[in-house]
Amino acid sequence: MAQDLRTRIRRGDLLVGTFVKTPSPHVVEILGHAGLDFAVIDQEHAPIGIAQMDMLVLAGRAAGLPLLSRRWGGAKDWIAPLLDLGLDGVMVPHVLDPDTAEAVCDAVRFSRGKRGLSPSPRAGNYGGMGLAEYRETSDARSIVMLQIEDECALDHLDAIAALSDVDMLFVGPADLSQSMGVAMPSPELDAAIERIIAAGRKAGVAVGLFVGDPAQIAGWHAKGVSLFVCGSDQAMLRKAASRMMADLGG
């Protein structure tokens, strides 16, 4: 039986996925058949609602592709409804401090006693799981990825990474460079990413990174990054179409 994504993250496997910005189940299905390790549905930068998420999760399950959601919002009440659909976890933008990280963990883990409990949704096999089984299964498989993409968060890395329910510190390099007022790429940004890697290594927490080009993966993997979100479905489509036209002299 294939191991779940959270187990693979915590083991430190090299994992490669992409953002999905197009609310089409077919896109998710294709990416699953292409062999990606996971995909993140980008509700932060794309117009994707919860009804569309429902269909994307069905496609992910059909193709064996683990899915997470990234969504903007200071409140964390959006997390549980998405996990009820059967998502494997969440990637939360702009986590600035341990208090924000705690709030995310509260919204994900039943063991913290603050997430509404009902096995009636898809994640509970539509009532096929008992309460205890659903709690245990969900808490064992649900992934908490916290995005570090603000300069002020760098001063709280150890406290954030020390939380036992955090599975990953995920670096958003574009926003981090903007917050720091430096170029992307730049030595200053690289140094900040390496600080995040060091904090993850110290706490035994995996570190992930967005890259726009798969050629960047090997170098950062050698430095300790284990999970990569590479580009997006739309970027892949645009690049392939542009390359085709360029090859034709268009």
Side-chain angles (χ1 to χ4, degrees):
M1 181 178 177
Q3 290 188 311
D4 64 271
L5 182 61
R6 187 174 186 232
T7 297
R8 298 182 69 196
I9 287 172
R10 293 212 155 202
R11 192 171 59 201
D13 292 0
L14 172 60
L15 301 167
V16 179
T18 193
F19 281 122
V20 171
K21 297 175 180 288
T22 309
S24 166
H26 306 83
V27 168
V28 170
E29 185 180 26
I30 290 166
L31 293 174
H33 289 315
L36 272 67
D37 294 305
F38 67 94
V40 181
I41 310 301
D42 193 5
Q43 294 185 281
E44 181 184 11
H45 294 299
I48 303 175
I50 192 166
Q52 293 164 314
M53 291 293 295
D54 193 27
M55 296 298 100
L56 297 179
V57 174
L58 279 177
R61 289 194 163 201
L65 180 66
L67 295 178
L68 297 92
S69 169
R70 176 174 75 167
R71 192 186 127 168
W72 176 259
K76 302 298 176 285
D77 54 0
W78 59 270
I79 291 176
L82 292 176
L83 295 177
D84 284 349
L85 296 179
L87 280 176
D88 292 82
V90 290
M91 175 189 288
V92 180
H94 297 286
V95 174
L96 305 180
D97 51 45
D99 288 342
T100 309
E102 289 275 15
V104 174
C105 294
D106 284 347
V108 172
R109 304 269 181 249
F110 286 120
S111 61
R112 289 172 162 251
K114 296 179 181 179
R115 177 180 167 188
L117 175 61
S118 171
S120 61
R122 180 184 295 119
N125 195 21
Y126 298 105
M129 290 184 183
L131 288 176
E133 180 187 4
Y134 180 45
R135 281 170 49 99
E136 181 180 353
T137 300
S138 179
D139 279 2
R141 296 177 65 95
S142 296
I143 298 159
V144 175
M145 289 190 190
L146 306 180
Q147 281 199 261
I148 306 299
E149 48 190 351
D150 300 87
E151 186 174 24
C152 62
L154 299 176
D155 295 328
H156 301 286
L157 290 173
D158 288 343
I160 293 171
L163 298 176
S164 61
D165 287 320
V166 173
D167 297 302
M168 172 165 287
L169 305 178
F170 187 88
V171 184
D175 280 2
L176 183 56
S177 66
Q178 175 177 258
S179 176
M180 294 173 62
V182 300
M184 175 183 165
S186 67
E188 296 86 355
L189 178 60
D190 286 354
I193 296 172
E194 289 172 9
R195 282 181 63 184
I196 298 167
I197 294 170
R201 183 180 293 115
K202 178 181 176 181
V205 172
V207 174
L209 176 67
F210 174 82
V211 294
D213 186 333
Q216 298 172 278
I217 291 175
W220 282 111
H221 184 238
K223 292 183 178 182
V225 177
S226 59
L227 179 143
F228 296 87
V229 174
C230 185
S232 70
D233 60 327
Q234 294 177 356
M236 292 180 194
L237 178 61
R238 182 185 176 96
K239 286 177 182 177
S242 298
R243 186 180 305 115
M244 178 179 70
M245 297 309 295
D247 289 345
L248 292 172

